[in-house]
Amino acid sequence: MKELEERIRKDGRVLGKDVLKVDSFLNHQIDPMLMEKMGEEFYEHFKDAGINKILTVESSGIAPAVMTGLKFQVPVVFARKHKSVTLSDDLYSSEVYSFTKKTSNHISIAKKYLSSDDKVLIIDDFLANGQAVNGLNTIIDAAGAELAGIGIVIEKSFQKGRQMIDKSGIPIYSLARITAFENGQVVFGKEDD
């Protein structure tokens, strides 16, 4: 998605060898017009997959997931990282390691929001090592639902997440694929790289 790549070049900041900071438009301050275009892009790619539910992990995946859900006209469910007093014990759960935060999170979804009737599209802000996708897939399997595809806003192709998903055969579509960080700059690849 050219507009996203341009925004990353303009406003993204490379930190170290493997972190991209995009908090000015994606995961702290949100650009709703750009989010809407992302939702349209994911919809166009997956519109024939029979999707009836969008799934993500709080919190940075929520904005692109909601815009995608709006285009599909289906509910969006996000896995919570912290158990709330309003969440019962009737949950699907999984452990997810956060590459950026260097911590593990216990994610949960109430069983009443995911069932074997659901054909799910995962939407997430980043794909690095694939831990969030793995955690959500564990929950999808526990519910007996079907994972129809994975939509990623920004993929870091130089990390192992994409290769792991490709081996699983699950359809994946990334709006921006980063092949490297060189001299503090982002190097983009194409979807078929």
Side-chain angles (χ1 to χ4, degrees), residues 175-192:
L175 300 182
R177 291 189 77 186
I178 297 171
T179 57
F181 295 139
E182 293 177 358
N183 301 317
Q185 300 298 312
V186 176
V187 178
F188 291 102
K190 296 187 179 11
E191 177 57 25
D192 54 2

Side-chain angles (χ1 to χ4, degrees), residues 10-124:
K10 178 179 174 251
D11 295 329
R13 287 190 9 232
V14 175
L15 305 176
K17 295 180 181 180
D18 47 21
V19 175
L20 175 66
K21 188 171 184 172
V22 288
D23 62 343
S24 68
F25 64 91
L26 179 62
N27 53 20
H28 192 58
Q29 175 174 273
I30 295 170
D31 180 337
M33 288 70 64
L34 183 59
M35 290 300 136
E36 182 177 27
K37 291 175 183 169
M38 290 179 197
E40 289 171 3
E41 191 77 20
F42 286 131
Y43 174 77
E44 285 303 317
H45 188 82
F46 290 107
K47 66 183 176 187
D48 297 324
I51 290 156
N52 69 339
K53 193 144 302 171
I54 308 292
L55 203 59
T56 193
V57 176
E58 71 174 344
S59 64
S60 299
I62 294 174
V66 166
M67 290 303 193
T68 305
L70 185 62
K71 297 301 173 187
F72 274 95
Q73 296 290 294
V74 302
V76 175
V77 178
F78 64 89
R80 292 182 176 261
K81 291 182 183 172
H82 306 284
K83 189 170 181 184
S84 157
V85 295
T86 61
L87 269 182
S88 72
D89 290 330
D90 203 18
L91 306 170
Y92 296 116
S93 298
S94 183
E95 283 292 318
V96 172
Y97 180 76
S98 170
F99 175 80
T100 308
K101 295 181 177 102
K102 307 286 188 222
T103 61
S104 287
N105 290 299
H106 188 78
I107 62 169
S108 301
I109 293 177
K111 288 183 177 180
K112 67 182 177 179
Y113 296 127
L114 192 61
S115 76
S116 59
D117 296 330
D118 291 320
K119 196 163 186 183
V120 177
L121 174 62
I122 291 174
I123 298 291
D124 207 4

